[in-house]
Amino acid sequence: MSSVFVESGTLYIVATPIGNLTDISQRALDVLTHVDIIACEDTRHTQKLLSTYSIKNKTLSLHDHNERQRQDYVATLLQEGKSIALVSDAGTPLISDPGFYLVRHCRQLNLPVSPIPGACAAIAALSVAGLPTDRFSFEGFLPSKSGARQSTLANLLEEPRTMVFYDAPRRAIDTVEDIVKVLGGERQVVISRELTKTFETVHSDTAENLLAWLKEDPNQLKGEMVLIIEGNKIDPNAIPAKAIDTLKLLLEEMKPKKACAITAEIYGVKKNALYEIALSLK
Ligand code: SAM
C-alpha cells in the first residue's frame, strides 16, 4: 500500500548497519516501518534491529537457499500492489549477500526496485584505507582453500586498481602469507576489522610487516574484516616483452631508427627507451 513513505508495488533494497546499530538512515527506518513486508536474510537477526527502533512489521525469510523459489511469490505480492523491503543481516543487500536473483527477476518484470542506501563494509573500509579510490575492484570473498586463493591472487597480479576483499579474520594469517607468496611482501595491505564496533581496528603496512603483526597479536584474528590490497604499480616507462620481440624482428630488416619508430607507434612506448634497447641488442 502507498503512504508518504513508500510506493505500492515497489521493492526497496534497504541497507542496514554493519555493527553500530545507529548507522541507519531515517528514510530506511521509515521504509521498514511502512512497507507491507520485510524480506530478511535471517528474520531473528533483523528482529533485533527492528526491536531497537520499535518497528513492528511482518517479515518473510529470503536467503541464499530459498531466494530462487521465493522470487515468484515476492513478484506476485508486488504485482498485487504490496510494498516490500529487502534487508540482509548487515550492510547493503546483494553485496556478497542474497538479493541478486530477486532484483533481476523484478527488473525483468518491470517492477520498480528502489535503493535505500547506507552502510557497506567494503566502502567503509575503502574510505579509511588511504589507498587510491579513484578506481577500485571489489573481489568479494577470497576462497578459503590456499590453492584456490593463490590462483585467485595470481590472476590479480597485474591488476592496477585497489582491490577490496571480504575474508574471515581466522584465515587472515594464511591469506596474508599467500599475498606475500603471490603478490610479494612489498605490497601495501590494509586490514579493517570490526568496523563501527568496539574493537574497530584499521591497520596498514606492507604484506610482510602485516604478517608479522598478525602473528604477534591473536586478537586480530577475531570478528569480521575487510582486506584491501594496493594495485600493481605499473611503471609507465616499462617496455612490454612483446614490443621487444617486435623490435628484434624489425632490426633484422631495417635500420634501428626506423625499427624503433615503428615499434613505438605500435605499442605506444617511448622511442628513446627503445633505441637504448636496440643498441644493447647489437
Ligand atoms: N552486504 C554486506 C556489506 O554491505 O558489507 C557484506 C555481507 S558479507 C556476508 C559479510 C562480510 O562483510 C564479512 O565477512 C566481512 O568481510 C565484511 N564485514 C561486515 N561487517 C563488517 C565490519 N563491521 N567490519 C569489517 N568487515 C565487515
Side-chain angles (χ1 to χ4, degrees), residues 23 29 38 48 52 54 82 85 99 131 135 144 161 175 192 200-201 218 228 243 252-253 276:
D23 288 336
L29 295 174
I38 306 172
K48 286 182 209 147
T52 304
S54 308
K82 298 269 190 282
L131 287 174
R135 294 170 72 222
S144 56
R161 296 169 295 178
T175 298
S192 293
E200 176 177 290
T201 309
I228 304 193
E252 286 170 18
E253 306 294 329
E276 275 176 33

mmCIF file of all heavy atoms in Angstrom, residues 23 29 38 48 52 54 82 85 99 131 135 144 161 175 192 200-201 218 228 243 252-253 276:
data_model
loop_
_atom_site.group_PDB
_atom_site.id
_atom_site.type_symbol
_atom_site.label_atom_id
_atom_site.label_comp_id
_atom_site.label_asym_id
_atom_site.label_seq_id
_atom_site.Cartn_x
_atom_site.Cartn_y
_atom_site.Cartn_z
ATOM 1 N N ASP A 23 23.883 3.342 12.777
ATOM 2 C CA ASP A 23 24.252 3.672 11.396
ATOM 3 C C ASP A 23 23.145 3.265 10.432
ATOM 4 O O ASP A 23 23.304 2.384 9.589
ATOM 5 C CB ASP A 23 25.549 2.943 11.002
ATOM 6 C CG ASP A 23 26.773 3.514 11.688
ATOM 7 O OD1 ASP A 23 26.751 4.691 12.082
ATOM 8 O OD2 ASP A 23 27.758 2.767 11.835
ATOM 9 N N LEU A 29 14.524 3.640 8.159
ATOM 10 C CA LEU A 29 13.604 3.299 9.268
ATOM 11 C C LEU A 29 12.154 3.538 8.836
ATOM 12 O O LEU A 29 11.268 2.725 9.143
ATOM 13 C CB LEU A 29 13.948 4.127 10.513
ATOM 14 C CG LEU A 29 15.330 3.834 11.130
ATOM 15 C CD1 LEU A 29 15.638 4.804 12.268
ATOM 16 C CD2 LEU A 29 15.431 2.391 11.624
ATOM 17 N N ILE A 38 8.749 -7.157 5.226
ATOM 18 C CA ILE A 38 10.219 -7.049 5.144
ATOM 19 C C ILE A 38 10.764 -8.445 4.838
ATOM 20 O O ILE A 38 10.565 -9.385 5.626
ATOM 21 C CB ILE A 38 10.828 -6.539 6.469
ATOM 22 C CG1 ILE A 38 10.177 -5.214 6.895
ATOM 23 C CG2 ILE A 38 12.342 -6.380 6.336
ATOM 24 C CD1 ILE A 38 10.584 -4.743 8.289
ATOM 25 N N LYS A 48 16.192 -8.041 15.826
ATOM 26 C CA LYS A 48 16.934 -7.249 16.831
ATOM 27 C C LYS A 48 16.997 -5.780 16.410
ATOM 28 O O LYS A 48 16.812 -4.877 17.209
ATOM 29 C CB LYS A 48 18.369 -7.789 16.988
ATOM 30 C CG LYS A 48 18.415 -9.089 17.754
ATOM 31 C CD LYS A 48 19.863 -9.547 17.926
ATOM 32 C CE LYS A 48 19.886 -11.066 18.001
ATOM 33 N NZ LYS A 48 21.077 -11.675 17.438
ATOM 34 N N THR A 52 15.114 -2.576 18.240
ATOM 35 C CA THR A 52 15.858 -1.382 18.680
ATOM 36 C C THR A 52 15.083 -0.118 18.323
ATOM 37 O O THR A 52 15.096 0.865 19.050
ATOM 38 C CB THR A 52 17.250 -1.361 18.003
ATOM 39 O OG1 THR A 52 17.902 -2.568 18.295
ATOM 40 C CG2 THR A 52 18.099 -0.182 18.441
ATOM 41 N N SER A 54 11.775 -0.062 17.707
ATOM 42 C CA SER A 54 10.349 -0.304 17.980
ATOM 43 C C SER A 54 9.528 -0.421 16.699
ATOM 44 O O SER A 54 8.420 0.132 16.602
ATOM 45 C CB SER A 54 9.764 0.820 18.861
ATOM 46 O OG SER A 54 10.552 0.991 19.988
ATOM 47 N N LYS A 82 1.586 -4.734 -3.175
ATOM 48 C CA LYS A 82 2.264 -4.690 -1.864
ATOM 49 C C LYS A 82 3.617 -3.974 -2.022
ATOM 50 O O LYS A 82 4.249 -4.070 -3.080
ATOM 51 C CB LYS A 82 2.521 -6.114 -1.339
ATOM 52 C CG LYS A 82 1.249 -6.914 -1.100
ATOM 53 C CD LYS A 82 0.781 -6.722 0.319
ATOM 54 C CE LYS A 82 -0.337 -7.660 0.694
ATOM 55 N NZ LYS A 82 -1.670 -7.256 0.168
ATOM 56 N N ALA A 85 10.333 -4.520 1.535
ATOM 57 C CA ALA A 85 11.738 -4.125 1.761
ATOM 58 C C ALA A 85 12.563 -5.398 1.804
ATOM 59 O O ALA A 85 12.132 -6.395 2.380
ATOM 60 C CB ALA A 85 11.870 -3.373 3.079
ATOM 61 N N GLY A 99 19.890 -11.519 -2.815
ATOM 62 C CA GLY A 99 19.071 -10.458 -3.404
ATOM 63 C C GLY A 99 19.224 -10.327 -4.913
ATOM 64 O O GLY A 99 18.328 -9.822 -5.586
ATOM 65 N N LEU A 131 44.374 4.143 0.428
ATOM 66 C CA LEU A 131 44.865 3.664 -0.876
ATOM 67 C C LEU A 131 43.997 4.316 -1.950
ATOM 68 O O LEU A 131 42.878 4.743 -1.652
ATOM 69 C CB LEU A 131 44.749 2.132 -0.948
ATOM 70 C CG LEU A 131 45.766 1.369 -0.099
ATOM 71 C CD1 LEU A 131 45.486 -0.128 -0.116
ATOM 72 C CD2 LEU A 131 47.190 1.629 -0.577
ATOM 73 N N ARG A 135 39.719 4.447 -8.731
ATOM 74 C CA ARG A 135 39.238 3.222 -9.377
ATOM 75 C C ARG A 135 39.566 2.088 -8.422
ATOM 76 O O ARG A 135 40.635 2.055 -7.837
ATOM 77 C CB ARG A 135 39.966 2.986 -10.705
ATOM 78 C CG ARG A 135 39.647 4.033 -11.745
ATOM 79 C CD ARG A 135 40.563 3.899 -12.943
ATOM 80 N NE ARG A 135 40.216 2.719 -13.722
ATOM 81 C CZ ARG A 135 41.127 1.894 -14.237
ATOM 82 N NH1 ARG A 135 42.401 2.104 -14.063
ATOM 83 N NH2 ARG A 135 40.748 0.854 -14.937
ATOM 84 N N SER A 144 38.485 -20.110 0.550
ATOM 85 C CA SER A 144 39.016 -20.498 1.862
ATOM 86 C C SER A 144 40.213 -21.447 1.744
ATOM 87 O O SER A 144 41.050 -21.512 2.630
ATOM 88 C CB SER A 144 37.915 -21.128 2.706
ATOM 89 O OG SER A 144 37.361 -22.203 1.997
ATOM 90 N N ARG A 161 44.202 -1.566 -10.183
ATOM 91 C CA ARG A 161 43.283 -0.878 -9.258
ATOM 92 C C ARG A 161 43.416 -1.423 -7.836
ATOM 93 O O ARG A 161 43.826 -2.575 -7.644
ATOM 94 C CB ARG A 161 41.832 -1.070 -9.719
ATOM 95 C CG ARG A 161 41.531 -0.442 -11.052
ATOM 96 C CD ARG A 161 40.198 -0.873 -11.586
ATOM 97 N NE ARG A 161 40.164 -2.290 -11.877
ATOM 98 C CZ ARG A 161 39.104 -2.956 -12.323
ATOM 99 N NH1 ARG A 161 37.984 -2.307 -12.530
ATOM 100 N NH2 ARG A 161 39.151 -4.234 -12.566
ATOM 101 N N THR A 175 45.909 -16.072 4.622
ATOM 102 C CA THR A 175 45.655 -15.207 3.462
ATOM 103 C C THR A 175 46.848 -14.282 3.204
ATOM 104 O O THR A 175 47.319 -14.162 2.073
ATOM 105 C CB THR A 175 44.382 -14.370 3.688
ATOM 106 O OG1 THR A 175 43.287 -15.263 3.830
ATOM 107 C CG2 THR A 175 44.110 -13.423 2.543
ATOM 108 N N SER A 192 40.867 -3.951 7.788
ATOM 109 C CA SER A 192 39.874 -3.181 8.560
ATOM 110 C C SER A 192 38.989 -4.198 9.253
ATOM 111 O O SER A 192 38.248 -4.933 8.603
ATOM 112 C CB SER A 192 39.017 -2.325 7.636
ATOM 113 O OG SER A 192 39.806 -1.344 7.058
ATOM 114 N N GLU A 200 37.069 -1.801 16.786
ATOM 115 C CA GLU A 200 37.424 -1.366 15.422
ATOM 116 C C GLU A 200 38.937 -1.157 15.296
ATOM 117 O O GLU A 200 39.544 -0.476 16.123
ATOM 118 C CB GLU A 200 36.705 -0.051 15.105
ATOM 119 C CG GLU A 200 37.085 0.513 13.751
ATOM 120 C CD GLU A 200 36.318 1.788 13.408
ATOM 121 O OE1 GLU A 200 35.110 1.724 13.167
ATOM 122 O OE2 GLU A 200 36.957 2.859 13.395
ATOM 123 N N THR A 201 39.521 -1.775 14.272
ATOM 124 C CA THR A 201 40.962 -1.642 14.032
ATOM 125 C C THR A 201 41.197 -1.476 12.541
ATOM 126 O O THR A 201 40.677 -2.257 11.737
ATOM 127 C CB THR A 201 41.700 -2.947 14.459
ATOM 128 O OG1 THR A 201 41.293 -3.276 15.762
ATOM 129 C CG2 THR A 201 43.205 -2.790 14.413
ATOM 130 N N PRO A 218 47.013 -12.315 18.580
ATOM 131 C CA PRO A 218 45.881 -13.193 18.235
ATOM 132 C C PRO A 218 44.524 -12.480 18.268
ATOM 133 O O PRO A 218 43.561 -12.952 17.657
ATOM 134 C CB PRO A 218 45.941 -14.294 19.296
ATOM 135 C CG PRO A 218 47.110 -14.021 20.158
ATOM 136 C CD PRO A 218 47.732 -12.731 19.771
ATOM 137 N N ILE A 228 42.206 -4.954 2.055
ATOM 138 C CA ILE A 228 42.377 -4.131 0.854
ATOM 139 C C ILE A 228 43.835 -4.218 0.409
ATOM 140 O O ILE A 228 44.744 -4.067 1.229
ATOM 141 C CB ILE A 228 41.948 -2.671 1.120
ATOM 142 C CG1 ILE A 228 40.494 -2.667 1.633
ATOM 143 C CG2 ILE A 228 42.095 -1.834 -0.133
ATOM 144 C CD1 ILE A 228 39.828 -1.330 1.645
ATOM 145 N N ALA A 243 56.836 -5.862 -27.269
ATOM 146 C CA ALA A 243 57.430 -4.753 -28.024
ATOM 147 C C ALA A 243 58.896 -5.078 -28.315
ATOM 148 O O ALA A 243 59.397 -4.792 -29.423
ATOM 149 C CB ALA A 243 57.318 -3.456 -27.219
ATOM 150 N N GLU A 252 66.174 -6.881 -37.801
ATOM 151 C CA GLU A 252 66.781 -7.770 -38.809
ATOM 152 C C GLU A 252 66.534 -7.250 -40.219
ATOM 153 O O GLU A 252 67.219 -7.608 -41.162
ATOM 154 C CB GLU A 252 66.201 -9.189 -38.674
ATOM 155 C CG GLU A 252 66.754 -9.919 -37.465
ATOM 156 C CD GLU A 252 66.013 -11.214 -37.196
ATOM 157 O OE1 GLU A 252 65.320 -11.716 -38.107
ATOM 158 O OE2 GLU A 252 66.132 -11.710 -36.059
ATOM 159 N N GLU A 253 65.501 -6.417 -40.354
ATOM 160 C CA GLU A 253 65.086 -5.962 -41.697
ATOM 161 C C GLU A 253 65.420 -4.505 -42.000
ATOM 162 O O GLU A 253 65.395 -4.095 -43.148
ATOM 163 C CB GLU A 253 63.556 -6.124 -41.855
ATOM 164 C CG GLU A 253 63.021 -7.502 -41.557
ATOM 165 C CD GLU A 253 63.529 -8.529 -42.561
ATOM 166 O OE1 GLU A 253 63.763 -8.152 -43.721
ATOM 167 O OE2 GLU A 253 63.709 -9.699 -42.161
ATOM 168 N N GLU A 276 67.640 2.667 -26.816
ATOM 169 C CA GLU A 276 68.647 2.129 -25.873
ATOM 170 C C GLU A 276 68.658 0.605 -25.937
ATOM 171 O O GLU A 276 69.706 -0.031 -25.930
ATOM 172 C CB GLU A 276 68.332 2.568 -24.445
ATOM 173 C CG GLU A 276 68.903 3.940 -24.149
ATOM 174 C CD GLU A 276 68.520 4.436 -22.771
ATOM 175 O OE1 GLU A 276 68.386 3.590 -21.867
ATOM 176 O OE2 GLU A 276 68.353 5.651 -22.633
#
